[in-house]
Amino acid sequence: MEVVTGLGNLAGRTYGPSRFRVSRAQVAAFVAASGDDPERWHTHAPPSFAGAVLFKVATSFLRDPEVASHARLLIHGEQTFTWRRPWRIGDALTISARVDRLRERAGTAFVNFGAEVADSADRTVLSSRSLFLMSPETPPGGTAAERSEPSAEARRANAVPRAESLPAVGESLTPLAKSVSRTDLVRYAAASEDFNPVHWDHIRAVESGVGGVICHGLLMAAWATQPAAASSSRPRPLARARFRFRRPLYPDQAALVTTTVKSRDERRTVLNSRVSSEAGDHVSASIEMQTDDGGG
């Protein structure tokens, strides 16, 4: 195990268990804040609700005094979710987490953070694996020039996903236009419980090296899943997704979600999804779905 200066014995540390209920109010707020289809998610939470569930325990990690003292800027580098069972509104669930690995390179700590969500029968509902990059002094990737902020409500087209059959291998679903305002980011913070100030406080965002308020990575990840999830009527439409967060997206910046079928057999369909803008890719994702007639 590699020891990172200033982080002591963080590797192996556990957080939780934290008990919660999948509430109708939080699911509705999350669906609205993430720009998902409010007509779809009445009995179950969307797969992207995993981002809100993760923060029911990630907040304890971020508030850990050893972590807080080391993280002038915390960057979410990668995220993997594996959905094992559907989650109904009203379900009582428990989430537990652990720092799986800790390593350091050029003054930046790379933290592998794992979490498991279980139901009242102790069956795994969701597995989560996160890669966080933390630095106490120089922000990872350098410092961006300060940007002027748009008005609080300014944003571009922000479309809601609609049901669409999956196309043939090599073809794409209809692109989904997305954008976010500074007010939208506050709404998402409230719905997801991710209150990192770089998403709503201009001064803190500039001090952190990103130049201004930026969109939550897990909000963009939610966008990346929406076309694929809309193509299935299952209560658990996705089986697994791995996201890589490549560059920040700023308020009032136009983005487009493109989702292409990479491969398909009788049991599994794999799709590649990208959230991109004129600046390039912001999030890339590999998404797996069931294609058999099994439950879930």
Side-chain angles (χ1 to χ4, degrees), residues 9 23 37-38 44-45 55 57 84 88 95 124 155 177 195 200 204 233 260 262:
N9 298 316
S23 76
D37 183 2
H44 293 78
F55 268 81
V57 72
R84 304 189 186 279
R88 292 181 177 274
I95 183 168
T124 302
R155 73 175 180 199
F195 290 104
W200 53 270
R204 289 288 299 277
S233 61
T260 303
K262 179 182 178 183

Side-chain angles (χ1 to χ4, degrees), residues 121-193:
D122 203 29
R123 298 173 298 188
T124 302
V125 176
L126 176 78
S127 297
S128 169
R129 298 293 180 269
S130 311
L131 173 64
F132 296 124
L133 285 67
M134 304 189 311
S135 174
E137 297 177 358
T138 303
T143 301
E146 183 173 1
R147 301 167 59 95
S148 60
E149 299 288 1
S151 64
E153 299 289 346
R155 73 175 180 199
R156 309 301 175 89
N158 193 40
V160 172
R162 297 302 181 193
E164 180 181 355
S165 297
L166 286 177
V169 172
E171 297 182 358
S172 300
L173 291 162
T174 301
L176 185 66
K178 287 292 184 180
S179 185
V180 69
S181 69
R182 291 192 293 122
T183 300
D184 291 332
L185 292 178
V186 174
R187 293 190 183 107
Y188 180 82
S192 66
E193 302 177 43

Side-chain angles (χ1 to χ4, degrees), residues 7-289:
L7 291 180
N9 298 316
L10 191 63
R13 187 169 300 178
T14 60
Y15 300 88
S18 177
R19 295 172 177 81
F20 66 97
R21 191 171 295 275
V22 182
S23 76
R24 186 175 302 278
Q26 186 179 10
V27 170
F30 185 88
V31 167
S34 60
D36 211 330
D37 183 2
E39 301 299 320
R40 166 77 186 275
W41 304 109
H42 290 298
T43 60
H44 293 78
S48 59
F49 190 67
V53 171
L54 173 60
F55 268 81
K56 293 186 181 297
V57 72
T59 299
S60 297
F61 165 73
L62 297 174
R63 290 177 179 171
D64 185 317
E66 287 188 58
V67 174
S69 65
H70 198 84
R72 175 186 174 191
L73 175 66
L74 184 142
I75 292 177
H76 201 160
E78 296 184 8
Q79 177 64 47
T80 300
F81 290 126
T82 304
W83 295 271
R84 304 189 186 279
R85 305 182 65 82
W87 38 27
R88 292 181 177 274
I89 291 175
D91 280 353
L93 303 176
T94 301
I95 183 168
S96 302
R98 179 178 185 271
V99 176
D100 291 325
R101 186 185 180 198
L102 185 64
R103 55 195 173 89
E104 184 177 17
R105 185 169 65 216
T108 297
F110 293 72
V111 181
N112 292 92
F113 186 78
E116 301 289 329
V117 178
D119 63 14
S120 57
D122 203 29
R123 298 173 298 188
T124 302
V125 176
L126 176 78
S127 297
S128 169
R129 298 293 180 269
S130 311
L131 173 64
F132 296 124
L133 285 67
M134 304 189 311
S135 174
E137 297 177 358
T138 303
T143 301
E146 183 173 1
R147 301 167 59 95
S148 60
E149 299 288 1
S151 64
E153 299 289 346
R155 73 175 180 199
R156 309 301 175 89
N158 193 40
V160 172
R162 297 302 181 193
E164 180 181 355
S165 297
L166 286 177
V169 172
E171 297 182 358
S172 300
L173 291 162
T174 301
L176 185 66
K178 287 292 184 180
S179 185
V180 69
S181 69
R182 291 192 293 122
T183 300
D184 291 332
L185 292 178
V186 174
R187 293 190 183 107
Y188 180 82
S192 66
E193 302 177 43
D194 179 356
F195 290 104
N196 187 331
V198 299
H199 304 306
W200 53 270
D201 185 326
H202 175 79
I203 294 174
R204 289 288 299 277
V206 171
E207 290 175 347
S208 296
V210 293
V213 169
I214 60 173
C215 182
H216 300 73
L218 287 175
L219 174 54
M220 292 189 287
W223 296 345
T225 66
Q226 288 174 4
S231 73
S232 171
S233 61
R234 295 173 179 271
R236 181 178 66 100
L238 308 183
R240 185 177 185 273
R242 181 182 182 186
F243 308 94
R244 292 186 176 180
F245 304 104
R246 301 191 176 278
R247 57 168 48 85
L249 180 76
Y250 294 92
D252 196 31
Q253 190 172 4
L256 196 67
V257 182
T258 55
T259 305
T260 303
V261 179
K262 179 182 178 183
S263 64
R264 178 189 288 129
D265 58 29
E266 65 275 8
R267 294 195 60 83
R268 186 181 72 155
T269 299
V270 179
L271 305 99
N272 289 333
S273 184
R274 296 186 303 127
V275 178
S276 58
S277 72
E278 291 181 349
D281 287 350
H282 299 274
V283 175
S284 60
S286 175
I287 300 171
E288 297 180 13
M289 306 174 63

